[in-house]
Amino acid sequence: MLFLVRMDVNIPHDLPAAQADEIKAREKAYAQQLQRDGRWKNLWRVVGEYANYSLFDVESNDELHTLLSQLPLFPFMKIHVTPLAQHPSAIA
């Protein structure tokens, strides 16, 4: 199942820089692990925002929820999920 996911990050300004850096490092490692195993298909930055659009290919809504909720930045995110289906006019 394919999902387009927008993630907007809002790290509190009073979070100590060292703690924020540690969370971001864990986030990067986890995101790259999911990309390597094929579940996080694409990752695009939104220009001028601390946000991204990502394409996930997972078995179920529950699997996606589990993956997203395990993101180290999850407590600081607003997430919008759009389920995707094949378009009949697509050639790929």
Side-chain angles (χ1 to χ4, degrees):
M1 298 177 69
L2 293 176
F3 296 91
L4 180 66
V5 179
R6 180 177 169 123
M7 295 177 234
D8 292 271
V9 182
N10 187 14
I11 297 174
H13 297 292
D14 60 350
L15 188 70
Q19 186 177 354
D21 290 344
E22 187 273 330
I23 293 168
K24 290 177 195 176
R26 287 190 293 118
E27 179 85 9
K28 182 176 182 176
Y30 182 59
Q32 289 179 345
Q33 170 194 336
L34 294 175
Q35 290 173 71
R36 285 187 190 96
D37 74 22
R39 291 181 285 175
W40 196 326
K41 303 295 279 179
N42 298 99
L43 173 58
W44 298 278
R45 177 174 301 226
V46 178
V47 175
E49 299 180 36
Y50 195 170
N52 73 74
Y53 280 101
S54 295
L55 184 65
F56 286 86
D57 188 0
V58 294
E59 294 297 319
S60 67
N61 296 337
D62 291 330
E63 181 182 2
L64 180 63
H65 180 77
T66 298
L67 294 179
L68 294 175
S69 64
Q70 291 176 352
L71 289 165
L73 285 170
F74 181 78
F76 311 113
M77 288 183 177
K78 177 182 172 192
I79 298 175
H80 183 265
V81 176
T82 303
L84 301 174
Q86 183 68 37
H87 193 284
S89 297
I91 60 173

